Amino acid sequence: MGPADCIFCLIASGSAPAKKVYEDDKIVAFHDIHPKAPVHVLVIPKKHVATLTEYLPEDADLLGKMMLLLPQIAKTLGITARGYKVVINTGKEAGQVVFHFHIHLLGGGTIEEV
Ligand code: 5GP
Ligand code: ZN
């Protein structure tokens, strides 16, 4: 369990709404509420972890699954051919605002900085 006020924990548990594009027992992917590209999806673990820095060697399987999910979602949403960008902001000065680990998937046209 993560912090009770973590918006991504609430989305992961279904307590807050999101336009989900993928879900399994450990991972959820959903459309970003303020898209920086025509397609802007966030892939998150259901288990709360603040940043990439907190992950441990035993999380390799989960991280691998999230990474491999990105091209699958890109394919499903039709953004593979033109190219897509994958971003992980880690820490305040890197632009991280939500401190529940997430991977940005951006594509389908002009991509702004995230
Ligand atoms: P960060 O800057 O932390 O890497 O990115 C956080 C992202 O989460 C931002 O792109 C922001 O638009 C998105 N976001 C923040 N709150 C919500 C929310 O409640 N729902 C959705 N779908 N996205 C959110
Ligand atoms: Zn959380």
Side-chain angles (χ1 to χ4, degrees):
M1 285 286 283
D5 60 347
C6 173
I7 183 61
F8 287 0
C9 281
L10 294 173
I11 288 172
S13 69
S15 302
K19 283 201 264 171
K20 290 180 187 170
V21 296
Y22 175 87
E23 179 163 19
D24 65 26
D25 57 330
K26 294 193 167 60
I27 300 167
V28 189
F30 53 90
H31 288 281
D32 196 290
I33 203 165
H34 293 125
K36 304 288 194 322
V39 172
H40 186 175
V41 165
L42 301 171
V43 175
I44 69 165
K46 287 190 171 175
K47 184 176 170 220
H48 183 90
V49 169
T51 83
L52 181 61
T53 308
E54 275 72 48
Y55 276 115
L56 300 168
E58 52 262 41
D59 299 311
D61 194 51
L62 174 65
L63 282 167
K65 283 198 174 117
M66 287 193 281
M67 198 53 74
L68 290 168
L69 193 56
L70 297 161
Q72 273 190 43
I73 295 172
K75 201 172 167 189
T76 305
L77 298 181
I79 61 170
T80 305
R82 290 177 62 184
Y84 56 89
K85 183 174 278 193
V86 170
V87 174
I88 302 174
N89 293 326
T90 306
K92 241 183 254 174
E93 289 189 6
Q96 188 174 2
V97 173
V98 176
F99 281 78
H100 177 129
F101 178 78
H102 54 277
I103 306 175
H104 296 261
L105 170 65
L106 303 122
T110 305
I111 300 171
E112 294 168 40
E113 285 287 309
V114 290

